[in-house]
Amino acid sequence: MTIFALSSAAGRAGVAVIRVSGPAAASALRALAGIADPRPRHAELTRLSDPSSGEALDDGLALWFPAPHSFTGEDVAEFHIHGGRATVGAVLEALSALDGLRPAEPGEFTRRAFENGKLDLTQSEGLADLINAETEGQRRQALRQLEGELGALYDTWSVRLVRAQAHLEAGIDFADEDVPEGAEKEANHHILWVQEQITHHLDDGRAGERAREGLYIAIIGAPNVGKSSLLNRLARRDAAIVAESAGTTRDVIEVHLDVAGYPVILADTAGLRAADGEVETEGVRRAMNRASSADYKIAVFDARLWPQRDAETEAFVDQATLIVANKWDLAGRAESAYEPALPVSAKTGEGLDNLLAALEEVVLGALGGSASAPRLTRARHRAALEECRAALERAASAEAIELRAEDVRLAIRSLGRITGRVDVEDVLDVIFSEFCIGK
Ligand code: GDP
């Protein structure tokens, strides 16, 4: 079946791109644009008309990408038309009236590209991430994954394991004869090597996943210490309500920031303190949850009371915490008096630059890294790698050579599921549903 969809964003635009993929793409090009013998990969200015009425729909560009040299690997036609709602609607309508064409499902173009071997699964995910990227760090990471770096890394491991398996199977086949010298040793060598690579790769502080999803930073502190004011300062807009009376921030408010090119989710939590009233109790419970599950914390104390600190907040301070003394403007002490805290004033903005610089350092430390090797970016990758490693551990310790060969086979399968080289029907729907229609 041939599919079609608007591939550019919906709404008014200068240009809209409609993509058609499948065996009937050529006849669609002929029917709408009157182009019978299209030149591959050339943009042709043409009049588009409704094949049934002959009515002119728009003037635009038609492009032809014959299989297999197209995004999906199938015959693909593209129409670049004026991006008005009625124009786009009319061209889509004309396409749906043609034989053998139907509207595409979300992610269906990319799914076809995967099924035709144009992209592996990690690349398909990279494409979804690239479309969703909002910061430079996300864009760079997604592009590397789309270019196939992650898949290529897993393929090199897979090749080593296939060799190990071959050596082990040779051992089984020759059991009654001379076992080839060194074959088992060779197999063990490959197994251990891949095990080490996986362990190293997994031990990345979840940098790739966090760079994709955002580093979660919770602002914690006693009621009225200035958490909401600080969040607003950092977000440069009024995301949280700042109130005079204590205990007004009753839920968790999150803003998304771009810090040093990486996404950060900054959460303002309800004040950590013994609560009165049911709503506030719930708020405090949520605040505690967020604080303990956050990747990082900003603990806010009152500069006027420093170095005195409330025990509720202090209990959350650990290695992954920036300590801030707020309301510096009311305290009137020198910066050095607050070591190791950063004195700031959410009201006047004093000290904010220092806090932002410290935040950048935190984010780059957690997400930046040297990133010379590609990073895994999803829990799906992590789970499969852990499965693979467990199978290799079993393989390394099993006595019988048959069992070891079987475990290595399972390990290869786990790696193959990440790239989609082995049957992965069950995960496809999940992965491609992340896309919207037209991708
Ligand atoms: P939260 O309960 O911790 O979120 O505190 P808010 O952000 O709601 O602030 C409580 C009160 O302190 C408000 O009246 C703020 O205007 C005030 N406030 C916050 N930060 C500062 C600051 O740095 N200096 C001064 N003078 N007042 C502040």
Side-chain angles (χ1 to χ4, degrees), residues 51 96 249:
S96 66
T249 313

Side-chain angles (χ1 to χ4, degrees), residues 219 221-232 240-249 268-271 300 304 325-330 344-349:
I219 305 182
N224 242 6
V225 74
K227 297 179 298 299
S228 316
S229 310
L230 205 56
L231 176 121
N232 286 337
I241 312 139
V242 181
E244 293 285 349
S245 69
T248 42
T249 313
D268 175 22
T269 57
V300 187
R304 291 169 295 184
N326 188 39
K327 307 201 184 184
W328 191 17
D329 56 302
L330 300 179
V344 302
S345 168
K347 185 161 195 171
T348 65

Side-chain angles (χ1 to χ4, degrees), residues 335-353:
E335 190 174 347
S336 57
Y338 295 98
E339 291 270 339
L342 293 166
V344 302
S345 168
K347 185 161 195 171
T348 65
E350 261 173 299
L352 254 297
D353 285 351

Side-chain angles (χ1 to χ4, degrees), residues 7 13 101 161 184 252 256 329 356 370 385 403 425:
S7 281
L101 268 75
L161 293 181
E184 271 199 66
V252 178
H256 291 243
D329 56 302
L356 269 175
S370 70
L385 288 168
L403 290 181
E425 270 309 312

